[in-house]
Coordinates of all heavy atoms in Angstrom, one line a residue:
M37 N 0.8 -1.1 0.0 CA 0.0 -0.1 0.0 C 0.8 1.2 0.0 O 0.4 2.3 -0.4 CB -0.9 0.0 1.2 CG -2.1 -1.1 1.1 SD -3.4 -1.0 2.2 CE -3.0 -2.5 3.1
K38 N 2.1 1.1 0.5 CA 2.9 2.3 0.4 C 3.3 2.7 -1.0 O 3.6 3.8 -1.3 CB 4.3 1.9 1.2 CG 4.0 1.9 2.7 CD 5.3 1.7 3.5 CE 5.1 1.7 4.9 NZ 6.3 1.4 5.7
I39 N 3.5 1.6 -1.9 CA 3.8 1.9 -3.3 C 2.6 2.7 -3.9 O 2.9 3.8 -4.6 CB 3.9 0.6 -4.1 CG1 5.3 -0.1 -3.6 CG2 4.0 0.9 -5.6 CD1 5.5 -1.4 -4.1
I40 N 1.3 2.3 -3.6 CA 0.1 3.1 -4.0 C 0.3 4.5 -3.6 O 0.0 5.5 -4.3 CB -1.1 2.4 -3.6 CG1 -1.3 1.1 -4.3 CG2 -2.4 3.3 -4.1 CD1 -2.4 0.2 -3.7
D41 N 0.6 4.7 -2.3 CA 0.7 6.1 -1.6 C 1.9 6.9 -2.5 O 1.7 8.0 -2.7 CB 1.1 5.9 -0.2 CG 0.0 5.5 0.7 OD1 -1.2 5.7 0.2 OD2 0.2 5.0 1.8
M42 N 3.0 6.3 -2.7 CA 4.0 6.9 -3.4 C 3.6 7.4 -4.9 O 3.8 8.5 -5.3 CB 5.3 6.0 -3.5 CG 5.9 5.9 -2.2 SD 7.6 5.2 -2.1 CE 7.3 3.6 -3.0
L43 N 2.8 6.5 -5.5 CA 2.3 6.7 -6.9 C 1.5 7.9 -6.9 O 1.4 8.8 -7.7 CB 1.9 5.4 -7.6 CG 2.8 4.5 -7.9 CD1 2.2 3.2 -8.2 CD2 3.7 4.9 -9.0
M44 N 0.6 7.9 -5.9 CA -0.5 8.9 -5.8 C 0.3 10.2 -5.4 O -0.2 11.4 -5.8 CB -1.5 8.6 -4.7 CG -2.5 7.5 -5.1 SD -3.3 7.8 -6.7 CE -4.4 9.2 -6.3
D45 N 1.3 10.2 -4.6 CA 2.1 11.4 -4.3 C 2.7 12.0 -5.5 O 2.8 13.3 -5.7 CB 3.1 11.3 -3.3 CG 2.6 11.0 -1.9 OD1 1.4 11.3 -1.6 OD2 3.3 10.4 -1.0
I46 N 3.2 11.1 -6.4 CA 3.8 11.6 -7.7 C 2.7 12.2 -8.5 O 3.0 13.3 -9.1 CB 4.4 10.4 -8.5 CG1 5.7 9.9 -7.7 CG2 4.8 10.8 -9.9 CD1 6.2 8.6 -8.2
Y47 N 1.5 11.6 -8.6 CA 0.4 12.3 -9.3 C 0.1 13.6 -8.8 O -0.1 14.6 -9.6 CB -0.8 11.3 -9.3 CG -2.1 12.0 -9.8 CD1 -2.1 12.4 -11.2 CD2 -3.1 12.4 -8.9 CE1 -3.2 13.1 -11.6 CE2 -4.2 13.0 -9.4 CZ -4.3 13.5 -10.8 OH -5.4 14.1 -11.3
K48 N 0.0 13.8 -7.4 CA -0.4 15.0 -6.9 C 0.7 16.2 -7.1 O 0.4 17.3 -7.3 CB -0.6 15.0 -5.3 CG -1.8 14.1 -5.0 CD -1.9 13.9 -3.6 CE -3.2 13.0 -3.3 NZ -3.2 12.5 -1.9
K49 N 2.0 15.8 -7.2 CA 3.0 16.6 -7.4 C 3.2 17.1 -8.9 O 3.6 18.2 -9.3 CB 4.3 16.0 -6.9 CG 5.5 17.1 -6.8 CD 6.7 16.4 -6.1 CE 7.7 17.4 -5.8 NZ 8.9 16.9 -5.1
Y50 N 3.0 16.0 -9.8 CA 3.2 16.2 -11.2 C 1.9 15.8 -12.1 O 2.0 14.9 -12.9 CB 4.4 15.5 -11.7 CG 5.6 15.8 -11.0 CD1 6.1 14.9 -10.1 CD2 6.3 17.0 -11.2 CE1 7.3 15.1 -9.4 CE2 7.5 17.2 -10.5 CZ 8.0 16.3 -9.6 OH 9.1 16.5 -8.8
P51 N 0.7 16.4 -11.9 CA -0.5 15.9 -12.5 C -0.4 16.0 -13.9 O -0.9 15.1 -14.6 CB -1.6 16.8 -11.9 CG -0.9 18.0 -11.3 CD 0.5 17.7 -11.0
N52 N 0.1 17.0 -14.5 CA 0.2 17.2 -16.0 C 1.0 16.1 -16.6 O 0.7 15.5 -17.6 CB 0.7 18.5 -16.4 CG -0.2 19.7 -16.0 OD1 -1.4 19.5 -15.9 ND2 0.4 20.8 -15.9
A53 N 2.2 15.7 -15.9 CA 3.0 14.7 -16.6 C 2.3 13.3 -16.5 O 2.5 12.6 -17.4 CB 4.4 14.6 -15.8
V54 N 1.7 13.0 -15.4 CA 1.0 11.8 -15.1 C -0.2 11.7 -16.1 O -0.4 10.6 -16.7 CB 0.5 11.7 -13.7 CG1 -0.4 10.5 -13.5 CG2 1.7 11.5 -12.8
N55 N -0.9 12.7 -16.3 CA -2.0 12.6 -17.2 C -1.6 12.3 -18.7 O -2.4 11.8 -19.5 CB -2.9 14.0 -17.3 CG -3.7 14.1 -15.9 OD1 -4.1 13.1 -15.4 ND2 -3.9 15.4 -15.5
Q56 N -0.4 12.6 -19.1 CA 0.1 12.4 -20.3 C 0.8 11.0 -20.4 O 1.1 10.6 -21.5 CB 1.2 13.4 -20.7 CG 0.7 14.9 -20.8 CD 1.8 15.9 -21.0 OE1 3.0 15.5 -21.2 NE2 1.4 17.1 -20.9
T57 N 0.6 10.3 -19.3 CA 1.4 8.9 -19.3 C 0.4 7.9 -18.7 O 0.3 7.7 -17.5 CB 2.7 9.0 -18.4 OG1 3.4 10.0 -18.8 CG2 3.4 7.7 -18.6
P58 N -0.4 7.3 -19.6 CA -1.4 6.4 -19.1 C -0.9 5.2 -18.3 O -1.6 4.6 -17.5 CB -2.1 5.8 -20.4 CG -1.8 6.8 -21.4 CD -0.5 7.5 -21.1
A59 N 0.4 4.8 -18.5 CA 1.0 3.8 -17.8 C 1.1 4.0 -16.2 O 1.1 3.1 -15.5 CB 2.4 3.6 -18.3
C60 N 1.1 5.3 -15.9 CA 1.1 5.6 -14.4 C -0.1 5.2 -13.8 O -0.2 4.6 -12.8 CB 1.2 7.2 -14.3 SG 3.0 7.7 -14.8
W61 N -1.4 5.4 -14.5 CA -2.7 5.1 -14.0 C -2.8 3.6 -13.9 O -3.2 3.0 -12.9 CB -3.8 5.6 -14.9 CG -3.9 7.0 -15.0 CD1 -3.8 7.8 -16.2 CD2 -4.0 7.9 -14.0 NE1 -4.0 9.1 -15.8 CE2 -4.1 9.3 -14.5 CE3 -4.2 7.9 -12.5 CZ2 -4.3 10.4 -13.8 CZ3 -4.3 9.0 -11.8 CH2 -4.5 10.2 -12.5
W62 N -2.3 2.9 -14.9 CA -2.3 1.4 -14.9 C -1.4 0.8 -13.8 O -1.8 -0.1 -13.1 CB -1.8 0.9 -16.3 CG -1.7 -0.5 -16.3 CD1 -2.8 -1.3 -16.7 CD2 -0.6 -1.3 -16.0 NE1 -2.3 -2.6 -16.6 CE2 -1.0 -2.7 -16.3 CE3 0.7 -1.1 -15.7 CZ2 -0.1 -3.7 -16.1 CZ3 1.6 -2.2 -15.5 CH2 1.1 -3.5 -15.7
Q63 N -0.3 1.5 -13.6 CA 0.6 1.0 -12.4 C -0.1 1.2 -11.1 O 0.1 0.2 -10.2 CB 1.9 1.7 -12.5 CG 3.0 1.2 -11.6 CD 3.4 -0.2 -11.9 OE1 3.5 -0.5 -13.1 NE2 3.5 -1.0 -10.9
I64 N -0.8 2.2 -10.9 CA -1.5 2.3 -9.6 C -2.5 1.2 -9.4 O -2.5 0.7 -8.3 CB -2.2 3.8 -9.5 CG1 -1.1 4.8 -9.4 CG2 -3.1 3.9 -8.4 CD1 -1.7 6.4 -9.7
S65 N -3.3 0.9 -10.4 CA -4.3 0.0 -10.2 C -3.6 -1.5 -10.2 O -4.1 -2.4 -9.5 CB -5.3 0.0 -11.4 OG -4.8 -0.1 -12.6
K66 N -2.6 -1.6 -10.9 CA -1.9 -2.9 -10.8 C -1.2 -3.2 -9.5 O -1.3 -4.3 -8.9 CB -0.8 -2.9 -12.0 CG -0.1 -4.2 -12.2 CD -1.1 -5.3 -12.7 CE -0.3 -6.5 -13.1 NZ -1.2 -7.7 -13.3
E67 N -0.7 -2.1 -8.9 CA -0.3 -2.3 -7.4 C -1.4 -2.6 -6.5 O -1.3 -3.6 -5.7 CB 0.5 -1.1 -7.1 CG 1.8 -0.8 -7.8 CD 2.8 -1.8 -7.5 OE1 2.7 -2.6 -6.6 OE2 3.8 -2.0 -8.6
G68 N -2.5 -2.0 -6.8 CA -3.6 -2.2 -5.8 C -4.2 -3.7 -6.1 O -4.4 -4.5 -5.1
F69 N -4.2 -4.2 -7.3 CA -4.5 -5.6 -7.5 C -3.6 -6.6 -6.9 O -4.0 -7.6 -6.3 CB -4.6 -5.8 -9.1 CG -5.0 -7.2 -9.3 CD1 -6.2 -7.6 -9.1 CD2 -4.1 -8.1 -10.1 CE1 -6.7 -9.0 -9.5 CE2 -4.5 -9.4 -10.4 CZ -5.8 -9.7 -10.1
G70 N -2.3 -6.2 -6.9 CA -1.3 -7.0 -6.2 C -1.6 -7.1 -4.7 O -1.4 -8.2 -4.1
V71 N -2.0 -5.9 -4.1 CA -2.4 -5.9 -2.7 C -3.6 -6.9 -2.5 O -3.6 -7.6 -1.5 CB -2.7 -4.5 -2.2 CG1 -3.3 -4.5 -0.8 CG2 -1.4 -3.8 -2.2
V72 N -4.5 -6.9 -3.3 CA -5.8 -7.7 -3.3 C -5.2 -9.1 -3.2 O -5.8 -10.0 -2.3 CB -6.7 -7.5 -4.3 CG1 -7.9 -8.4 -4.4 CG2 -7.4 -6.1 -4.2
L73 N -4.4 -9.6 -4.2 CA -3.9 -10.9 -4.1 C -3.2 -11.2 -2.9 O -3.4 -12.3 -2.5 CB -3.1 -11.1 -5.4 CG -3.9 -11.0 -6.8 CD1 -2.9 -11.2 -8.0 CD2 -5.0 -12.1 -6.9
S74 N -2.4 -10.4 -2.5 CA -1.6 -10.7 -1.2 C -2.6 -10.8 -0.1 O -2.4 -11.7 0.8 CB -0.6 -9.5 -1.0 OG 0.3 -9.5 -2.0
I75 N -3.5 -10.0 0.1 CA -4.6 -10.2 1.1 C -5.2 -11.5 1.1 O -5.4 -12.3 2.1 CB -5.6 -9.0 1.1 CG1 -5.0 -7.6 1.5 CG2 -6.8 -9.3 2.0 CD1 -5.8 -6.5 1.2
Q76 N -5.7 -12.0 -0.2 CA -6.3 -13.2 -0.2 C -5.4 -14.4 0.1 O -5.9 -15.5 0.5 CB -6.9 -13.4 -1.6 CG -8.0 -12.5 -1.9 CD -8.6 -12.7 -3.4 OE1 -7.8 -12.9 -4.2 NE2 -9.9 -12.5 -3.4
A77 N -4.1 -14.3 0.1 CA -3.2 -15.3 0.3 C -2.9 -15.5 1.8 O -2.2 -16.4 2.2 CB -1.9 -15.1 -0.4
I78 N -3.3 -14.5 2.6 CA -3.0 -14.4 4.0 C -3.8 -15.6 4.7 O -5.0 -15.7 4.5 CB -3.4 -13.1 4.7 CG1 -2.4 -12.0 4.2 CG2 -3.2 -13.2 6.3 CD1 -2.8 -10.6 4.6
K79 N -3.2 -16.4 5.5 CA -3.8 -17.5 6.2 C -4.6 -17.1 7.5 O -5.6 -17.6 7.8 CB -2.8 -18.5 6.6 CG -1.9 -19.0 5.5 CD -2.7 -19.9 4.6 CE -2.0 -20.5 3.5 NZ -2.6 -20.8 2.4
S80 N -4.1 -16.2 8.3 CA -4.7 -15.8 9.5 C -6.0 -15.0 9.2 O -5.9 -13.9 8.6 CB -3.8 -15.0 10.3 OG -4.5 -14.3 11.4
P81 N -7.2 -15.5 9.6 CA -8.4 -14.7 9.5 C -8.5 -13.3 10.1 O -8.9 -12.2 9.6 CB -9.5 -15.6 10.1 CG -8.9 -16.9 10.2 CD -7.4 -16.8 10.3
K82 N -7.8 -13.2 11.2 CA -7.8 -11.9 12.0 C -6.9 -10.9 11.1 O -7.3 -9.8 10.9 CB -7.1 -12.0 13.3 CG -7.0 -10.8 14.2 CD -6.4 -11.1 15.4 CE -6.3 -9.7 16.2 NZ -5.6 -9.8 17.5
I83 N -5.8 -11.3 10.7 CA -4.9 -10.5 9.9 C -5.6 -10.1 8.6 O -5.5 -8.9 8.1 CB -3.5 -11.0 9.7 CG1 -2.8 -11.1 11.0 CG2 -2.7 -10.2 8.8 CD1 -1.4 -12.0 11.1
K84 N -6.2 -11.1 7.9 CA -6.9 -10.8 6.6 C -8.0 -9.8 6.9 O -8.1 -8.8 6.1 CB -7.4 -12.2 6.2 CG -8.0 -12.1 4.7 CD -8.5 -13.5 4.4 CE -7.4 -14.3 3.8 NZ -7.8 -15.5 3.1
Y85 N -8.7 -10.0 7.9 CA -9.8 -9.0 8.2 C -9.3 -7.6 8.4 O -9.8 -6.6 7.7 CB -10.6 -9.4 9.5 CG -11.5 -8.4 10.0 CD1 -12.8 -8.1 9.4 CD2 -11.2 -7.5 11.0 CE1 -13.7 -7.2 9.8 CE2 -12.0 -6.5 11.5 CZ -13.2 -6.3 10.9 OH -14.0 -5.3 11.3
E86 N -8.2 -7.5 9.2 CA -7.7 -6.2 9.4 C -7.0 -5.5 8.2 O -7.3 -4.3 7.9 CB -6.4 -6.3 10.4 CG -6.9 -6.6 11.8 CD -5.8 -7.0 12.7 OE1 -4.7 -6.9 12.4 OE2 -6.2 -7.3 13.9
M87 N -6.5 -6.3 7.3 CA -6.0 -5.8 6.0 C -7.1 -5.3 5.0 O -6.9 -4.3 4.4 CB -5.1 -6.9 5.4 CG -3.7 -7.0 6.1 SD -2.7 -5.6 6.3 CE -2.3 -5.2 4.7
V88 N -8.1 -6.2 5.0 CA -9.3 -5.9 4.1 C -9.9 -4.6 4.7 O -10.3 -3.6 3.9 CB -10.3 -6.9 4.0 CG1 -11.5 -6.5 3.3 CG2 -9.6 -8.2 3.3
K89 N -10.1 -4.5 5.9 CA -10.7 -3.3 6.5 C -10.0 -2.0 6.2 O -10.4 -1.0 5.8 CB -10.9 -3.4 8.0 CG -11.6 -2.3 8.8 CD -12.0 -2.7 10.1 CE -12.8 -1.6 10.8 NZ -13.5 -0.7 10.1
R90 N -8.7 -2.1 6.3 CA -7.8 -1.0 6.1 C -7.8 -0.6 4.5 O -7.8 0.6 4.3 CB -6.3 -1.3 6.4 CG -5.4 -0.2 6.2 CD -4.0 -0.5 6.7 NE -3.1 0.6 6.3 CZ -1.8 0.4 6.0 NH1 -1.2 -0.7 6.2 NH2 -1.1 1.4 5.6
F91 N -7.8 -1.7 3.7 CA -7.9 -1.5 2.2 C -9.1 -0.6 1.8 O -9.0 0.2 1.1 CB -7.8 -2.8 1.5 CG -7.5 -2.7 0.1 CD1 -6.3 -2.3 -0.3 CD2 -8.5 -3.1 -0.8 CE1 -5.9 -2.2 -1.7 CE2 -8.2 -2.9 -2.2 CZ -6.9 -2.6 -2.7
F92 N -10.2 -1.1 2.5 CA -11.4 -0.2 2.1 C -11.6 1.1 2.9 O -11.9 2.1 2.3 CB -12.7 -1.1 2.3 CG -12.9 -2.1 1.3 CD1 -12.6 -3.5 1.5 CD2 -13.5 -1.8 0.1 CE1 -12.7 -4.4 0.5 CE2 -13.7 -2.7 -0.9 CZ -13.4 -4.0 -0.8
D93 N -11.3 1.0 4.2 CA -11.4 2.2 5.0 C -10.6 3.4 4.6 O -11.0 4.6 4.7 CB -11.3 2.0 6.4 CG -12.3 1.1 7.1 OD1 -13.3 0.9 6.5 OD2 -12.1 0.6 8.3
E94 N -9.3 3.1 4.1 CA -8.4 4.2 3.7 C -8.5 4.5 2.2 O -7.7 5.4 1.8 CB -7.0 3.7 4.1 CG -6.8 3.7 5.5 CD -5.4 3.3 5.9 OE1 -4.4 3.4 5.1 OE2 -5.1 2.9 7.1
G95 N -9.5 3.9 1.6 CA -9.7 4.3 0.1 C -8.9 3.7 -0.8 O -9.0 4.1 -2.1
Y96 N -8.2 2.6 -0.5 CA -7.2 2.0 -1.6 C -8.1 1.2 -2.6 O -7.7 1.3 -3.7 CB -6.2 1.0 -0.9 CG -5.2 1.7 -0.1 CD1 -5.3 1.7 1.3 CD2 -4.1 2.3 -0.7 CE1 -4.2 2.4 2.0 CE2 -3.2 3.0 0.0 CZ -3.2 3.0 1.3 OH -2.3 3.7 2.1
W97 N -9.2 0.8 -2.2 CA -10.0 0.1 -3.2 C -10.6 1.0 -4.3 O -10.5 0.8 -5.4 CB -11.3 -0.7 -2.5 CG -12.1 -1.2 -3.8 CD1 -13.2 -0.6 -4.2 CD2 -11.9 -2.3 -4.5 NE1 -13.8 -1.4 -5.2 CE2 -13.0 -2.4 -5.4 CE3 -10.9 -3.3 -4.6 CZ2 -13.0 -3.4 -6.4 CZ3 -11.0 -4.4 -5.5 CH2 -12.1 -4.4 -6.4
H98 N -11.0 2.2 -3.7 CA -11.5 3.3 -4.6 C -10.4 3.6 -5.6 O -10.6 3.9 -6.8 CB -12.0 4.4 -3.9 CG -12.6 5.5 -4.6 ND1 -13.7 5.4 -5.4 CD2 -12.1 6.7 -5.0 CE1 -13.9 6.6 -6.1 NE2 -12.9 7.4 -5.8
I99 N -9.2 3.9 -5.1 CA -8.1 4.4 -5.9 C -7.8 3.3 -6.9 O -7.6 3.6 -8.1 CB -6.9 4.6 -5.0 CG1 -7.1 5.9 -4.2 CG2 -5.6 4.9 -5.9 CD1 -6.0 6.2 -3.1
T100 N -7.8 2.1 -6.5 CA -7.4 0.9 -7.4 C -8.5 0.8 -8.6 O -8.1 0.7 -9.7 CB -7.3 -0.3 -6.7 OG1 -6.3 -0.1 -5.6 CG2 -7.0 -1.5 -7.5
W101 N -9.7 0.9 -8.2 CA -10.7 0.7 -9.2 C -10.9 1.9 -10.1 O -11.0 1.8 -11.3 CB -12.1 0.5 -8.5 CG -13.3 0.3 -9.4 CD1 -14.2 1.2 -9.8 CD2 -13.5 -0.8 -10.1 NE1 -15.1 0.7 -10.7 CE2 -14.7 -0.5 -11.0 CE3 -13.0 -2.1 -10.2 CZ2 -15.4 -1.5 -11.8 CZ3 -13.6 -3.0 -11.0 CH2 -14.7 -2.6 -11.7
Q102 N -10.7 3.1 -9.6 CA -10.8 4.3 -10.4 C -9.7 4.4 -11.3 O -9.9 4.9 -12.5 CB -10.6 5.5 -9.4 CG -10.8 7.0 -10.1 CD -10.8 8.0 -9.1 OE1 -10.2 7.9 -7.9 NE2 -10.9 9.3 -9.5
H103 N -8.5 3.9 -11.1 CA -7.4 4.0 -12.0 C -7.2 2.7 -13.0 O -6.2 2.7 -13.6 CB -6.2 4.3 -11.3 CG -6.2 5.6 -10.7 ND1 -6.5 5.8 -9.3 CD2 -6.1 6.9 -11.2 CE1 -6.6 7.2 -9.1 NE2 -6.3 7.8 -10.1
A104 N -8.0 1.7 -12.8 CA -8.0 0.5 -13.6 C -8.4 1.0 -15.0 O -9.5 1.4 -15.3 CB -8.9 -0.5 -13.1
T105 N -7.5 0.9 -15.9 CA -7.7 1.6 -17.3 C -8.0 0.5 -18.4 O -8.6 0.8 -19.3 CB -6.5 2.3 -17.8 OG1 -5.4 1.5 -17.8 CG2 -6.3 3.5 -16.9
T106 N -7.9 -0.9 -18.0 CA -8.1 -1.8 -19.1 C -9.3 -2.6 -18.6 O -9.5 -2.8 -17.3 CB -6.9 -2.8 -19.3 OG1 -6.7 -3.5 -18.0 CG2 -5.7 -2.0 -19.6
L107 N -10.0 -3.2 -19.6 CA -11.1 -4.1 -19.2 C -10.7 -5.4 -18.5 O -11.3 -5.8 -17.6 CB -11.9 -4.5 -20.5 CG -13.1 -5.3 -20.4 CD1 -14.1 -4.5 -19.6 CD2 -13.7 -5.7 -21.8
K108 N -9.5 -5.8 -18.9 CA -9.0 -7.1 -18.3 C -8.8 -6.8 -16.7 O -9.1 -7.7 -15.9 CB -7.7 -7.5 -18.9 CG -7.1 -8.8 -18.2 CD -5.9 -9.2 -19.1 CE -5.3 -10.4 -18.4 NZ -4.0 -10.8 -19.0
L109 N -8.2 -5.7 -16.4 CA -7.9 -5.4 -15.0 C -9.1 -5.1 -14.2 O -9.3 -5.5 -13.1 CB -6.9 -4.2 -14.8 CG -6.3 -3.9 -13.5 CD1 -5.7 -5.2 -12.9 CD2 -5.3 -2.8 -13.7
K110 N -10.1 -4.5 -14.8 CA -11.4 -4.2 -14.2 C -12.2 -5.5 -13.9 O -12.7 -5.7 -12.9 CB -12.3 -3.3 -15.1 CG -12.1 -1.8 -15.2 CD -12.8 -1.1 -14.2 CE -12.6 0.4 -14.5 NZ -13.1 1.2 -13.5
W111 N -12.1 -6.4 -14.8 CA -12.7 -7.8 -14.7 C -12.0 -8.5 -13.5 O -12.7 -9.0 -12.7 CB -12.5 -8.6 -16.0 CG -12.9 -10.0 -15.9 CD1 -12.1 -11.0 -15.9 CD2 -14.3 -10.5 -15.6 NE1 -12.9 -12.2 -15.7 CE2 -14.1 -11.9 -15.5 CE3 -15.5 -10.0 -15.3 CZ2 -15.2 -12.7 -15.2 CZ3 -16.6 -10.7 -15.0 CH2 -16.4 -12.2 -15.0
R112 N -10.7 -8.4 -13.5 CA -9.9 -9.2 -12.4 C -10.3 -8.6 -11.1 O -10.4 -9.3 -10.1 CB -8.5 -9.2 -12.8 CG -8.1 -10.0 -13.9 CD -6.6 -9.8 -14.3 NE -5.8 -10.7 -13.5 CZ -4.6 -10.7 -13.5 NH1 -3.8 -9.7 -14.2 NH2 -3.9 -11.5 -12.8
L113 N -10.4 -7.2 -11.0 CA -10.7 -6.6 -9.7 C -12.2 -7.0 -9.3 O -12.5 -7.2 -8.1 CB -10.6 -5.1 -9.8 CG -9.2 -4.6 -9.8 CD1 -9.0 -3.2 -10.2 CD2 -8.5 -4.8 -8.5
S114 N -13.1 -6.9 -10.3 CA -14.5 -7.1 -9.9 C -14.8 -8.5 -9.5 O -15.6 -8.7 -8.6 CB -15.4 -6.7 -11.1 OG -15.2 -7.7 -12.3
R115 N -14.0 -9.5 -10.0 CA -14.2 -10.9 -9.6 C -13.8 -11.0 -8.1 O -14.3 -12.0 -7.5 CB -13.3 -11.8 -10.4 CG -13.8 -11.9 -11.7 CD -13.0 -12.9 -12.6 NE -12.5 -14.1 -11.8 CZ -11.3 -14.6 -12.0 NH1 -10.5 -14.2 -12.7 NH2 -11.0 -15.8 -11.2
R116 N -13.0 -10.2 -7.6 CA -12.5 -10.4 -6.2 C -13.3 -9.4 -5.2 O -13.0 -9.5 -4.0 CB -11.0 -10.1 -6.2 CG -10.3 -11.3 -6.7 CD -8.9 -11.0 -7.3 NE -8.2 -12.2 -7.8 CZ -8.3 -12.6 -9.0 NH1 -9.0 -11.8 -9.9 NH2 -7.6 -13.7 -9.5
Y117 N -14.0 -8.5 -5.8 CA -14.6 -7.5 -4.9 C -15.5 -8.1 -3.8 O -15.4 -7.8 -2.6 CB -15.5 -6.5 -5.8 CG -16.2 -5.4 -4.9 CD1 -15.5 -4.3 -4.3 CD2 -17.5 -5.5 -4.6 CE1 -16.1 -3.4 -3.6 CE2 -18.2 -4.5 -4.0 CZ -17.5 -3.5 -3.4 OH -18.2 -2.6 -2.7
L118 N -16.5 -9.0 -4.3 CA -17.5 -9.5 -3.3 C -16.7 -10.4 -2.4 O -17.1 -10.5 -1.2 CB -18.5 -10.2 -4.1 CG -19.5 -9.4 -4.9 CD1 -20.4 -10.2 -5.6 CD2 -20.2 -8.5 -3.9
K119 N -15.7 -11.1 -2.8 CA -14.9 -11.9 -1.8 C -14.2 -11.2 -0.7 O -14.2 -11.4 0.5 CB -13.8 -12.7 -2.6 CG -14.4 -13.9 -3.5 CD -13.2 -14.5 -4.2 CE -13.9 -15.4 -5.3 NZ -12.8 -16.0 -6.1
L120 N -13.7 -10.0 -1.1 CA -13.1 -9.1 -0.2 C -14.2 -8.5 0.8 O -14.0 -8.5 2.0 CB -12.4 -7.9 -0.8 CG -11.0 -8.2 -1.4 CD1 -10.6 -7.0 -2.2 CD2 -10.1 -8.8 -0.4
K121 N -15.2 -8.0 0.3 CA -16.3 -7.5 1.1 C -16.9 -8.5 2.0 O -17.2 -8.2 3.2 CB -17.4 -6.9 0.2 CG -17.2 -5.5 -0.2 CD -17.0 -4.5 0.8 CE -17.4 -3.2 0.3 NZ -17.3 -2.2 1.4
S122 N -16.9 -9.7 1.6 CA -17.5 -10.8 2.6 C -16.6 -11.1 3.7 O -16.9 -11.4 4.8 CB -17.8 -12.1 1.7 OG -16.5 -12.6 1.4
L123 N -15.3 -10.8 3.5 CA -14.4 -11.0 4.6 C -14.5 -10.0 5.7 O -14.2 -10.3 6.9 CB -12.9 -10.9 4.1 CG -12.4 -11.9 3.2 CD1 -11.0 -11.6 2.6 CD2 -12.4 -13.4 3.9
L124 N -15.2 -8.9 5.5 CA -15.4 -7.9 6.4 C -16.6 -8.3 7.4 O -16.7 -7.8 8.5 CB -15.8 -6.5 5.8 CG -14.6 -5.8 5.1 CD1 -15.1 -4.5 4.4 CD2 -13.6 -5.5 6.1
K125 N -17.3 -9.3 7.0 CA -18.5 -9.8 7.8 C -17.9 -10.6 8.9 O -18.7 -10.7 10.0 CB -19.5 -10.6 6.9 CG -20.2 -9.8 5.9 CD -21.0 -10.5 5.2 CE -21.6 -9.8 3.9 NZ -22.5 -10.6 3.1
Y126 N -16.8 -11.3 8.7 CA -16.4 -12.3 9.8 C -15.3 -11.7 10.6 O -14.1 -12.1 10.4 CB -15.9 -13.5 8.9 CG -17.0 -14.1 8.2 CD1 -17.0 -14.1 6.8 CD2 -18.1 -14.7 8.8 CE1 -18.0 -14.6 6.0 CE2 -19.1 -15.3 8.0 CZ -19.1 -15.2 6.7 OH -20.0 -15.8 5.9
K127 N -15.6 -10.9 11.5 CA -14.5 -10.3 12.4 C -14.4 -11.3 13.5 O -15.3 -11.9 14.1 CB -15.1 -9.0 13.0 CG -14.1 -8.4 13.9 CD -14.5 -7.0 14.4 CE -13.4 -6.6 15.4 NZ -13.8 -5.2 16.0
T128 N -13.0 -11.6 13.7 CA -12.8 -12.6 14.7 C -11.8 -12.0 15.7 O -11.1 -11.2 15.5 CB -12.1 -13.9 14.1 OG1 -10.9 -13.5 13.4 CG2 -12.9 -14.6 13.1

């Protein structure tokens, strides 16, 4: 999630340059997708819950979804959205 923060900081500092480089948007969403996959691989239900809660509460899901520029990436994210949301129901 720190990588997403750093990429967003670059965007805030150099918005014109980022807007001219679509790969920057893609990279933000790709990093977010990597976080989603990492969360799903966590074995501990408690840690998984905490990570999912943080991912949604701090707006990382919104940033990831908003910057997904390809249909393939949107599809891959949408397939995992309900699974992530369902993890929030099971606080242990």
Side-chain angles (χ1 to χ4, degrees):
M37 290 189 252
K38 288 182 180 183
I39 294 172
I40 297 171
D41 289 337
M42 290 188 309
L43 290 168
M44 290 305 294
D45 288 343
I46 291 169
Y47 169 68
K48 289 174 187 171
K49 192 170 184 177
Y50 307 103
N52 293 333
V54 172
N55 285 333
Q56 296 172 8
T57 312
C60 290
W61 297 122
W62 178 84
Q63 188 64 38
I64 290 170
S65 60
K66 187 68 173 166
E67 292 297 334
F69 182 66
V71 171
V72 169
L73 293 178
S74 297
I75 289 171
Q76 289 181 325
I78 296 172
K79 300 291 184 203
S80 168
K82 181 180 178 187
I83 295 172
K84 189 180 279 192
Y85 169 80
E86 292 170 0
M87 292 301 295
V88 171
K89 184 162 176 37
R90 180 175 173 211
F91 193 72
F92 281 103
D93 288 351
E94 294 182 15
Y96 289 105
W97 173 263
H98 179 71
I99 291 168
T100 301
W101 181 259
Q102 181 181 10
H103 294 98
T105 56
T106 64
L107 185 59
K108 181 179 179 180
L109 191 51
K110 286 263 189 193
W111 170 248
R112 293 173 82 188
L113 286 166
S114 64
R115 286 181 45 218
R116 287 156 178 90
Y117 177 78
L118 291 177
K119 291 177 187 174
L120 287 177
K121 278 298 209 181
S122 70
L123 292 172
L124 291 175
K125 295 177 187 177
Y126 301 107
K127 182 178 179 183
T128 55

